[in-house]
Amino acid sequence: MGNRFICMIKKEPKDVGSRSKRMGRSQRKLVTEEELHLQALSMALQQHQLSQRFEGSMSRRIGSTSSRRRNLSESFSANKQSYPVQIPELLENIKTKKFVLIHGEGFGAWCWYKTVAFLEEAGLLPVALDLTGSGIDLTDTNSVTTLAEYSKPLINYLENLPEDEKVVLVGHSIGGACVSYALEHYPQKISKAIFLCATMVTNGQRPFDVFADELGSAERFMQESKFLIHGNGQEKPPTGFMFEKEQMKGLYFNLSPAKDIALAMVSMRHSPLGPIMEKLSLSAEKYGTGRRFYIQTLDDHALSPDVQEKLVRENPPEGVFKIKGSDHCPFFSKPQSLHKILVEIAQIA
């Protein structure tokens, strides 16, 4: 396996309070986890109202989406509040401090609210993006048919980075396909790519293929799945998919706090089908030169530990980390363990 290494995180670290004196944040007021969650829930309710209003036909969309987009980190920065977290001693070892967080299917930037707060408190620069048709992006999800369209907010962000600037890119679940797409097209902009229980495919694979063991073949899924959405009419090919709420709870949130499950239930939107059925073209010259890391979730019901192990075996990354006691959403179920690993990967020379 070459220089690959494995790190196991077993327990959540205890909060040690604010290091505001060291970080120059003595005037910032610490908020409790409950207050932080209420902020995110309020934000999610607003997103839900927007998605209910604008979801549907293209003719119902109003104006440009760009003026309405806000990323999650901007929301937290505007509040100028921090969240207590254990801060590593040697953050000066981190050359790339900007993290770009990419959500998985059905989610949005909102799902990273704990991770954003942790990274900001540690003196890092997180940005959580809504992919096209996700979160509060007003694009009709049924109109998103390709991975390029789905990944457009990420690509726009990378294109607009200063020439000498790089980011640590983190992708969750199917968002891993967007990370792979970005590595192929903008490898010079990505310092490290982190796949969080994500679809880390090989050349010629579809993101859906990763889930084939659980969901069956793509052809069978397209013909028989009761989770498909026909946004253009029943006589037309399906445009998206979304699991029923009770099934989502068992698949994604089997170890997540009840309040985070409630947040997800009012925030999740259906996912476009086209991007996950598209075969990725990944070259050794571009994708192959990227520094990839994988974080496995060992109590995951959506992407089983066996499937995750198969992914890293068939497409070996530079490093593999494991979180015990995490479901498919470690940003909810094990946020401190996830934060510790993200910082640790950022520190790797």
Side-chain angles (χ1 to χ4, degrees):
M1 299 300 290
N3 61 346
R4 176 182 159 204
F5 56 87
I6 296 178
C7 176
M8 176 79 79
I9 301 295
K10 293 185 176 180
K11 295 181 180 180
E12 289 280 70
K14 296 180 180 179
D15 282 349
V16 297
S18 171
R19 302 286 180 86
S20 55
K21 182 175 180 181
R22 180 189 309 161
M23 303 302 295
R25 300 183 179 184
S26 59
Q27 301 303 315
R28 296 176 65 182
K29 179 182 177 183
L30 293 178
V31 295
T32 65
E33 182 177 0
E34 189 66 28
E35 290 170 328
L36 186 61
H37 182 268
L38 287 174
Q39 292 174 13
L41 182 57
S42 174
M43 194 183 311
L45 287 169
Q46 294 174 16
Q47 293 171 0
H48 179 65
Q49 290 167 358
L50 280 172
S51 65
Q52 288 294 322
R53 181 179 177 186
F54 292 101
E55 189 88 7
S57 69
M58 293 293 287
S59 62
R60 288 166 54 199
R61 287 194 289 146
I62 300 174
S64 169
T65 64
S66 60
S67 63
R68 295 178 175 89
R69 288 180 186 161
R70 294 178 64 203
N71 65 54
L72 191 58
S73 65
E74 289 173 345
S75 299
F76 278 98
S77 296
N79 289 335
K80 294 193 181 300
Q81 293 172 319
S82 64
Y83 185 74
V85 64
Q86 187 170 2
I87 301 173
E89 296 293 333
L90 299 174
L91 282 180
E92 53 269 22
N93 292 341
I94 298 179
K95 293 183 179 180
T96 304
K97 293 188 176 182
K98 182 166 287 186
F99 284 69
V100 178
L101 308 173
I102 302 300
H103 60 82
E105 67 282 4
F107 293 87
W110 54 267
C111 73
W112 297 104
Y113 79 96
K114 293 179 182 179
T115 301
V116 165
F118 280 162
L119 291 172
E120 284 187 342
E121 181 63 23
L124 300 171
L125 303 171
V127 175
L129 300 178
D130 283 319
L131 297 173
T132 306
S134 305
I136 60 173
D137 182 286
L138 303 182
T139 305
D140 179 8
T141 308
N142 297 305
S143 71
V144 182
T145 59
T146 68
L147 188 58
E149 293 172 338
Y150 190 48
S151 305
K152 191 63 176 175
L154 171 59
I155 298 306
N156 287 344
Y157 183 88
L158 294 176
E159 285 179 342
N160 290 320
L161 278 176
E163 189 172 339
D164 59 346
E165 190 170 336
K166 293 186 177 184
V167 301
V168 176
L169 186 55
V170 184
H172 171 242
S173 198
I174 286 177
C178 300
V179 172
S180 296
Y181 182 85
L183 270 176
E184 177 63 24
H185 290 83
Y186 290 92
Q188 75 279 9
K189 296 290 187 180
I190 302 167
S191 170
K192 298 182 179 76
I194 302 174
F195 293 79
L196 177 59
C197 48
T199 53
M200 187 176 64
V201 299
T202 57
N203 180 44
Q205 266 193 318
R206 297 172 293 194
F208 181 88
D209 294 339
V210 174
F211 296 91
D213 290 344
E214 281 86 3
L215 299 177
S217 69
E219 292 72 23
R220 180 180 175 185
F221 183 80
M222 294 284 282
Q223 292 173 1
E224 301 178 9
S225 176
K226 62 181 180 179
F227 308 114
L228 294 175
I229 294 170
H230 293 259
N232 297 324
Q234 288 295 327
E235 71 284 357
K236 300 288 183 65
T239 56
F241 70 98
M242 187 171 188
F243 297 110
E244 296 173 350
K245 287 189 175 182
E246 288 306 313
Q247 188 153 18
M248 280 196 292
K249 291 178 181 178
L251 283 173
Y252 294 113
F253 312 117
N254 48 295
L255 292 173
S256 292
K259 59 188 178 182
D260 289 321
I261 298 175
L263 171 65
M265 291 301 99
V266 300
S267 306
M268 294 185 75
R269 297 169 63 181
H270 76 262
S271 300
L273 190 61
I276 71 168
M277 294 298 180
E278 182 180 319
K279 291 183 179 180
L280 271 73
S281 178
L282 304 173
S283 67
E285 296 77 20
K286 294 182 179 180
Y287 172 84
T289 61
R291 299 187 67 183
R292 292 178 291 112
F293 299 83
Y294 200 96
I295 302 176
Q296 296 180 340
T297 43
L298 300 187
D299 292 276
D300 194 324
H301 289 180
L303 193 64
S304 72
D306 288 343
V307 171
Q308 294 183 48
E309 186 61 34
K310 181 181 178 182
L311 289 177
V312 301
R313 185 171 62 249
E314 294 179 348
N315 191 12
E318 181 176 331
V320 175
F321 294 75
K322 302 184 179 186
I323 306 179
K324 186 176 181 180
S326 174
D327 55 22
H328 194 57
C329 299
F331 39 76
F332 289 158
S333 58
K334 287 288 185 179
Q336 290 178 313
S337 292
L338 173 60
H339 171 72
K340 182 177 179 181
I341 290 174
L342 292 179
V343 172
E344 186 171 346
I345 292 174
Q347 289 178 309
I348 296 173

